[in-house]
Amino acid sequence: MADQPAAQQGTFWIRTLAKGVSTFGAVVASLCGIFVLISFSAKCIAMGIFMVCAGVVVLMLEATFLFLFLDIGKWLDSKSDKIRHWQKMVLYFGFCVPAALICGSATSWIGSIGFLIAGMAYMVLTIGPKGDGHSRGGGGGGSVPYSRQMDDIPTA
């Protein structure tokens, strides 16, 4: 995360929460993908495979410690923190769309919600902090803070 600008880093607890939520969403989506595989529709079977593979990709990006025993694990660990938050957000939002729209079963919708929540966690990191009144122009009164504007109003 050191190569990302300070505005994109976020606080430690927000980044940790986003990683935890994304990991949980990937596990939920993978489990739902396994249940979608038990189907008689070819589209749903294909989407079940997609959901399981997408869940593994999210786990590889978020919980890299699970893959350190593989040859790719150390490389993945060094590269996963260099991916920007908005790129992860777009990737996770892209994962949530196909299974819900193509298969349409309740289990695929629940799995897609897991990816959606992961994308929303990184959307919070992408947007960043709300900011104070001075950075937004002081609440409409130029550089005068809003509280001072209200104090200057004469009372009857």
Side-chain angles (χ1 to χ4, degrees), residues 39 55 58 102 121 123 125 155:
S39 173
V58 173
I102 293 175
M123 184 174 72
L125 281 172
T155 58

Side-chain angles (χ1 to χ4, degrees), residues 44-83:
C44 287
I45 291 172
M47 287 302 103
I49 293 170
F50 171 77
M51 288 173 66
V52 170
C53 292
V56 170
V57 168
V58 173
L59 281 175
M60 289 176 84
L61 291 175
E62 299 300 332
T64 56
F65 63 89
L66 295 175
F67 299 94
L68 287 178
F69 63 92
L70 298 174
D71 291 336
I72 197 171
K74 290 182 182 179
W75 177 82
L76 188 65
D77 189 35
S78 67
K79 299 294 182 186
S80 67
D81 285 339
K82 293 182 182 177
I83 299 173

Side-chain angles (χ1 to χ4, degrees), residues 1 4 8 83-89 122 125-126:
M1 288 272 205
Q4 292 187 1
Q8 285 207 357
I83 299 173
R84 296 198 179 267
H85 300 313
W86 69 268
Q87 293 168 336
K88 287 184 179 181
M89 176 189 70
Y122 276 99
L125 281 172
T126 301

Side-chain angles (χ1 to χ4, degrees), residues 23-33 51 107 110-111 113-114:
T23 303
F24 178 74
V27 169
V28 167
S30 295
L31 291 176
C32 288
M51 288 173 66
T107 311
I110 292 170
I113 288 172

Side-chain angles (χ1 to χ4, degrees), residues 114-155:
F115 290 129
L116 180 71
I117 291 171
M120 290 173 68
Y122 276 99
M123 184 174 72
V124 169
L125 281 172
T126 301
I127 291 173
K130 183 177 174 184
D132 58 350
H134 295 291
S135 65
R136 292 190 313 255
S143 61
V144 180
Y146 183 72
S147 60
R148 272 199 29 220
Q149 290 176 358
M150 295 304 290
D151 292 340
D152 294 338
I153 296 175
T155 58

